[in-house]
Amino acid sequence: MELEEGMVRKIAISVGAVGVFVALVVGIGTVYNDGGLGSDGGLALVATIAVFILAMAGVGLFLAD
C-alpha cells in the first residue's frame, strides 16, 4: 500500500507529538518520585495531560487540509 507524501508527514508529526508526551510523563515520574508521585508531581502530570490535549488539537488544526 502506497502512502502519499503528505500522509507520511502527518504520521511523523503525530508520532513525534506523542513521543514528546511520553518523554514528559517519564520525566515527571523520574523527577517527582519520592516514594510516590506526591501533590507537586500530580499537578505536573495533570498539566502535562492538559497541554498534550491542547497540543494535539493544534496539531490536528495544523494538519487539516
Side-chain angles (χ1 to χ4, degrees), residues 24-58:
L24 286 173
V25 169
V26 169
I28 289 170
T30 302
V31 170
Y32 292 102
N33 188 11
D34 293 329
L37 196 55
S39 62
D40 289 339
L43 186 60
L45 187 60
V46 168
T48 301
I49 293 169
V51 168
F52 173 71
I53 291 169
L54 294 174
M56 289 307 289

